[in-house]
């Protein structure tokens, strides 16, 4: 029988080890298992339990060799069917042993070449397991980047000497070949998915500087203890009509006759044309009653240590806003914007004045359970719509959504990653300023949330119920309803824009009524903005939330409107227009 060398790649919890065991088991009972993982000297109970789970499920007839010298073991008996699990630990163990994480002179190429040479010389079947670098949980640190670079090179070299390369994705086995085509050939076995160990970028990750928080007395996924006005509104939206393009063209033409070179005000001209089209009049009027609404809510996942602050800060900040001491208050005063804060799902007893639209206290932990019930989701959507209607009916002509909630960038990143089909390690950010250990916890939480969210990603309302929580759900309803009511909105940062992604799915065309106030420092925000085809007004590396970035942009929006509305024309002022000769030669 011809021997086959197979490389099995996959992400975290993909089932790659279980699939590799299934392949090699077909070669009989005399299998050698080369285990490269080792428990760090500093101790890691979770990692040790995963290694033990692997040992326990191996057939008793298999011979286990725990060694990082894979090449030597292969050469010692090249005919024995062998399973190597895995190359990620092979890389980390070696770098740990020699202290090579920070040594740029350490080169793994000769060691990798030796491994490939030994692998190519085998006469028995060999199955090699390795994490696919882009699907693995790796901290954005120098050590993490070193791990990615080294493992990527090792995977490519090993693939070159293997007869077969497969990738485990969503429980399916995808064949990779030289023809640049893939095909799903089988479902991966599920028996070991919950127990599969994964290598880390370093053998002993740093201890968390912020301990995981203990849950509050109010269990987040319990029945709501406070219920506000759940307005009777349909949970479906009509397709949103576009701003008036005819008026927009008129505004664009007006810019051509103002006392300035055409296009010389740059982005201000684009903003003023958008405002004019939204108002349906040219020239546009200054926004007289801009209002920011801060949607406050707590999240069950915050108890998993994904934030630098404890969950009780949410309720404290609601009180701070009510007393006028928050950044949103200061920036709003400067911009002439009214401030309103709404407790949609804070896990605390807030002032009665902000609880009218409250849906529940806190929400479920998105890693393991739905954040809201179906009834709570519909209630939060309806309340968000009602807030928009109430403001617009009272004269608000420019709306801003702000967010407030410890841990809320985690559900926001889950929404962005799910809707834009982006990996967890790409969308995760530092939020309130978490350290590396917190980043790892947060990435794992986003990964688990996205695994659940992907199952309902085609249904915006089901997606909100699964991972969003009451505050983001109400925000989505608010943004969609504002567009339905033909009222422009200045979007804030990551959390608001994540809700906007869902609002656009709920009410197609809503994004035409929004302008992005700024680009947040959170990486997922840029991904969301690109998906919505929105270009931010400002890039100040802000990441506070509360509507702060949008409020900072409001004076610029007002200035853009003022230039189109109040500047003199060439005809009115007696200023000479560009000469025909200059126009033909391109001179000013």
């Amino acid at each position: 029988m011809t021997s086959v060398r197979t490389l099995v790649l996959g992400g975290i919890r993909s089932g790659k080890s279980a699939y590799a065991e299934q392949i090699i088991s077909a070669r009989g009972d005399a299998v050698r298992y080369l285990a490269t993982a080792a428990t760090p000297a500093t101790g890691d109970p979770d990692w040790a339990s995963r290694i033990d789970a692997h040992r326990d499920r191996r057939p008793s007839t298999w011979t286990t060799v725990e060694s990082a010298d894979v090449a030597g073991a292969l050469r010692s008996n090249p005919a024995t069917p062998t399973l190597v699990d895995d190359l990620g630990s092979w890389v980390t163990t070696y770098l740990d042993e020699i202290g090579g994480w920070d040594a740029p002179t350490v080169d793994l190429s000769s060691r990798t070449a030796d491994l490939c040479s030994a692998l190519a010389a085998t006469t028995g079947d060999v199955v090699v397991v390795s994490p696919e670098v882009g699907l693995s949980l790796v901290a954005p640190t120098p050590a993490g980047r070193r791990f990615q670079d080294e493992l990527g090179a090792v995977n490519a070299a090993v693939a070159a000497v293997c007869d077969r390369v497969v990738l485990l994705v969503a429980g399916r086995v995808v064949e990779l070949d030289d023809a640049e085509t893939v095909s799903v050939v089988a479902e991966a076995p599920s028996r070991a998915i919950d127990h599969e160990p994964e290598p880390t970028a370093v053998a002993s990750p740093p201890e968390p500087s912020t301990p995981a928080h203990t849950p509050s007395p109010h269990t987040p996924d319990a029945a709501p203890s406070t219920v506000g006005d759940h307005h009777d509104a349909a949970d479906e939206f009509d397709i949103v009509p576009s701003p008036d393009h005819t008026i927009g063209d008129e505004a664009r033409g007006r810019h051509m006759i103002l006392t300035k070179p055409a296009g010389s005000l740059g982005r201000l001209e684009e903003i003023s044309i958008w405002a004019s089209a939204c108002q349906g009049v040219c020239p546009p009027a200054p926004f007289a009653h801009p209002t920011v609404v801060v949607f406050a809510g707590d999240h069950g996942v915050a108890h998993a240590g994904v934030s630098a602050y404890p969950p009780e800060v949410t309720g404290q900040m609601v009180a701070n806003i009510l007393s006028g001491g928050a950044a949103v208050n200061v920036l709003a005063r400067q911009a002439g914007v009214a401030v309103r804060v709404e407790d949609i799902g804070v896990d605390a007893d807030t002032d009665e004045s902000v609880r009218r639209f409250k849906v529940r206290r806190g929400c479920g932990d998105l890693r393991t359970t739905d954040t809201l019930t179906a009834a709570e989701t519909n209630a939060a959507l309806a309340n968000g719509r009602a807030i928009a209607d109430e403001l617009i009916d009272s004269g608000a002509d420019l709306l801003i959504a702000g967010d407030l909630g410890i841990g809320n960038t985690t559900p926001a990143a889950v929404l962005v990653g799910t809707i834009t089909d982006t990996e967890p390690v790409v969308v995760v950010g530092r939020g309130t300023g978490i350290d590396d250990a917190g980043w790892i916890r947060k990435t794992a939480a986003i990964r688990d949330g996205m695994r659940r969210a992907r199952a309902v990603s085609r249904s915006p309302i089901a997606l909100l119920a699964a991972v969003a929580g009451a505050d983001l759900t109400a925000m989505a309803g608010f943004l969609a309803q504002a567009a339905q009511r033909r009222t422009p909105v200045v979007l804030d940062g990551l959390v608001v824009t994540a809700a906007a992604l869902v609002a656009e799915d709920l009410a197609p065309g809503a994004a035409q009524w929004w302008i992005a106030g700024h680009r947040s420092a959170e990486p997922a925000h840029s991904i969301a903005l690109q998906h919505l085809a929105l270009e931010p007004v400002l890039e100040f590396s802000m990441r506070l939330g509360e509507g702060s970035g949008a409020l900072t942009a409001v004076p610029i929006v007002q200035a853009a409107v003022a230039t189109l509305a109040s500047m003199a024309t060439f005809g009115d002022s007696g200023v000479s227009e560009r000469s025909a000769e200059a126009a033909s030669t391109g001179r000013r």
Side-chain angles (χ1 to χ4, degrees):
M1 183 180 294
T2 304
S3 63
V4 177
R5 290 175 289 271
T6 304
L7 174 62
V8 179
L9 300 168
I12 295 172
R13 295 291 198 274
S14 62
K16 58 185 180 293
S17 291
Y19 180 68
E21 291 168 9
Q22 177 181 298
I23 296 174
I24 203 67
S25 294
R27 291 307 190 188
D29 295 332
V31 171
R32 174 177 52 178
Y33 187 104
L34 294 183
T36 62
T39 303
T42 55
D44 185 338
D46 180 62
W47 186 250
S49 67
R50 294 186 183 190
I51 293 175
D52 289 342
H54 261 216
R55 290 190 184 114
D56 292 343
R57 75 166 187 249
R58 292 171 206 156
S60 59
T61 56
W62 288 15
T63 300
T64 298
V65 178
E66 296 184 352
S67 171
D69 184 12
V70 176
L74 290 175
R75 288 194 177 97
S76 68
N77 193 345
T80 300
T82 301
L83 171 59
V84 180
D85 195 359
D86 66 16
L87 295 183
S89 295
W90 180 78
V91 169
T92 58
T93 299
Y94 178 68
L95 289 175
D96 281 341
E97 286 177 353
I98 65 172
W101 287 105
D102 299 319
T105 57
V106 172
D107 185 1
L108 269 67
S109 58
S110 60
R111 181 176 170 84
T112 302
D114 185 50
L115 169 64
C116 292
S117 173
L119 183 60
T122 57
T123 56
D125 279 8
V126 179
V127 180
V128 181
V129 178
S130 185
E132 169 50 39
V133 177
L135 302 178
S136 297
L137 181 60
V138 181
T141 60
R145 288 187 286 274
R146 177 70 182 271
F147 173 75
Q148 288 176 312
D149 291 343
E150 298 293 358
L151 182 59
V154 170
N155 283 348
V158 171
V161 298
C162 283
D163 306 294
R164 181 183 178 223
V165 180
V166 299
L167 176 67
L168 270 290
V169 178
R172 300 297 184 93
V173 182
V174 182
E175 295 280 357
L176 307 179
D177 60 32
D178 294 333
E180 296 184 356
T181 59
V182 297
S183 59
V184 178
V185 297
E187 290 190 2
S190 60
R191 63 185 173 90
I193 289 178
D194 290 338
H195 306 288
E196 180 181 342
E198 290 293 331
T200 54
V202 291
S204 52
E207 290 296 319
S209 60
T210 303
H213 308 296
T214 55
S216 70
H218 307 287
T219 305
D221 55 358
S225 57
T226 304
V227 179
D229 290 345
H230 298 162
H231 294 260
D232 185 14
D235 54 17
E236 295 184 358
F237 295 78
D238 295 328
I239 294 176
V240 176
S242 301
D244 194 325
H245 294 308
T246 301
I247 295 296
D249 290 340
E250 185 179 336
R252 189 172 289 104
R254 178 174 170 80
H255 267 297
M256 299 298 292
I257 62 172
L258 298 179
T259 51
K260 62 178 177 61
S264 59
L265 287 178
R267 184 73 192 284
L268 287 181
E269 297 186 14
E270 297 175 16
I271 294 171
S272 66
I273 293 168
W274 169 79
S276 194
C278 289
Q279 292 183 7
V281 61
C282 179
F287 291 106
H289 301 289
T291 302
V292 58
V293 181
V294 180
F295 291 81
D298 279 309
H299 294 265
V301 73
H303 296 288
V306 297
S307 173
Y309 290 84
E312 54 265 27
V313 169
T314 305
Q316 296 165 0
M317 281 302 301
V318 169
N320 190 27
I321 292 174
L322 285 174
S323 65
V328 61
N329 304 103
V330 176
L331 294 170
R333 283 194 292 270
Q334 289 296 111
V337 178
V339 177
R340 177 169 168 174
V341 60
E342 292 290 350
D343 173 1
I344 307 296
V346 178
D347 191 12
D349 293 326
T350 56
D351 189 85
E352 186 177 356
S353 64
V354 300
R355 294 203 309 263
R356 185 158 61 93
F357 294 96
K358 187 161 186 167
V359 174
R360 60 172 289 168
R361 295 182 67 136
C363 71
D365 186 340
L366 60 79
R367 298 174 301 168
T368 57
T369 188
D370 285 351
T371 59
L372 301 173
T373 66
E376 289 165 350
T377 304
N378 290 336
L381 271 176
N383 284 3
R385 299 182 75 169
I387 293 169
D389 284 337
E390 192 172 280
L391 288 172
I392 296 167
D393 290 342
S394 65
D397 53 1
L398 180 68
L399 295 177
I400 298 163
D403 66 275
L404 174 62
I406 297 302
N408 65 5
T409 58
T410 298
V414 170
L415 289 173
V416 173
T418 301
I419 293 172
T420 66
D421 194 24
T422 305
E423 289 301 319
V425 292
V426 179
V427 297
V428 67
R430 295 284 177 171
T432 51
I434 53 175
D435 58 14
D436 286 353
W439 183 93
I440 292 174
R441 292 193 297 272
K442 185 174 180 179
T443 304
I446 293 170
R447 174 202 67 202
D448 293 343
M450 285 181 60
R451 182 183 296 127
R452 297 183 61 257
R454 282 169 176 152
V456 293
S457 61
R458 294 182 180 275
S459 169
I461 294 176
L463 179 61
L464 291 169
V467 298
D471 50 342
L472 272 72
T473 299
M475 205 181 302
F478 174 86
L479 295 170
Q481 185 66 8
Q484 294 246 290
R485 294 289 303 271
R486 305 179 69 89
T487 303
V489 175
V490 183
L491 299 181
D492 192 43
L494 167 60
V495 177
V496 174
T497 310
L501 286 175
V502 185
E504 172 65 17
D505 284 346
L506 286 167
Q512 299 173 87
W513 293 88
W514 308 330
I515 188 170
H518 78 123
R519 188 191 306 277
S520 166
E522 290 287 301
H525 191 213
S526 291
I527 297 168
L529 290 176
Q530 183 178 16
H531 191 82
L532 291 168
L534 295 176
E535 189 65 27
V537 176
L538 303 173
E539 294 197 39
F540 284 175
S541 299
M542 300 172 71
R543 53 180 174 83
L544 172 62
E546 300 180 15
S548 57
L551 286 167
T552 306
V554 167
I556 295 176
V557 174
Q558 295 280 42
V561 170
T563 58
L564 182 56
S566 302
M567 280 185 68
T569 67
F570 286 110
D572 293 338
S573 64
V575 175
S576 298
E577 297 187 52
R578 191 181 190 192
S579 68
E581 178 186 358
S584 64
T585 60
R587 292 185 289 111
R588 178 171 175 175

